[in-house]
Amino acid sequence: MNDSTRIRIRPGGPGDVVGILGMLDSAVVWMNARGNTEQWGTIPYSQRPGGAARVERYTTENVPYVAELDGVPVGALVLDSGPSPQMPIAPAGEPERYVRLLVSDRRYAGMGIGAALLAHAAEETRRAGVGLLRVDCWAGGGGELVAFYQRNGFAPTERFVDGNWPGQVLALRVG
């Protein structure tokens, strides 16, 4: 059995906040160890002003999903009906689902967790009768994150800058 068939995706909720914060904190450490201090900074997500409250809102006001591998939470994805109002990204002008958060536990890197969560988001979008799934991501460094989304079927649309943070919006037609 390959790793992707061992991944189960379930609805998330407030009980997942601590686990999601742990994944975000470990992602910051992982990025920083590789010299990437620009994407998410250097402060653990759980210690940022408003960081924990944002994750709590994700689990109560948005639609969270948690990926589990053999019953252990290893990734999370949050869907919404549009981009964050705090970001300089225009709504699509049509019904859409928007990936607000995608994170995986770096101890399980390379097991297809992010891809499985994105496939689940596409299926949930289709099931809701919505034809467009979008996401935004950091477009700095060597563009590895943009390339990850492209490998998962997303096409780059508009670029944006939030302060000094270069971003890329990507879209996937699911209908």
Side-chain angles (χ1 to χ4, degrees):
M1 174 185 301
N2 68 27
D3 293 325
S4 64
T5 60
R6 293 173 37 214
I7 297 170
R8 181 178 82 91
I9 298 173
R10 63 167 173 81
D16 294 303
V17 169
V18 170
I20 294 170
L21 283 169
M23 288 178 220
L24 289 165
D25 285 351
S26 69
V28 170
V29 170
W30 179 81
M31 284 184 245
N32 289 182
R34 282 152 185 77
N36 178 350
T37 59
E38 297 172 3
Q39 183 176 347
W40 283 358
T42 57
I43 299 169
Y45 201 89
S46 63
Q47 295 175 22
R48 289 185 195 172
R54 175 177 288 149
V55 173
E56 288 172 14
R57 283 193 308 276
Y58 282 159
T59 66
T60 58
E61 297 174 10
N62 302 116
V63 183
Y65 295 97
V66 173
E68 294 181 335
L69 183 64
D70 300 328
V72 176
V74 294
L77 178 135
V78 175
L79 280 180
D80 198 357
S81 59
S84 167
Q86 285 78 42
M87 296 298 281
I89 302 167
E94 67 179 274
E96 68 176 314
R97 292 295 179 268
Y98 205 95
V99 176
R100 282 292 208 58
L101 174 70
L102 176 64
V103 65
S104 62
D105 186 322
R106 299 313 306 162
R107 293 174 296 180
Y108 299 90
M111 299 181 90
I113 295 161
L117 283 162
L118 289 173
H120 186 78
E123 181 53 37
E124 289 297 319
T125 300
R126 188 178 300 108
R127 188 174 304 153
V130 176
L132 178 63
L133 177 62
R134 291 197 308 160
V135 64
D136 65 78
C137 70
W138 185 61
E144 297 92 352
L145 193 52
V146 172
F148 164 78
Y149 285 108
Q150 288 179 292
R151 287 191 306 273
N152 283 279
F154 287 78
T157 58
E158 67 267 14
R159 292 182 67 94
F160 66 94
V161 177
D162 185 25
N164 292 326
W165 196 87
Q168 175 71 58
V169 178
L170 298 101
L172 174 67
R173 287 277 169 200
V174 300

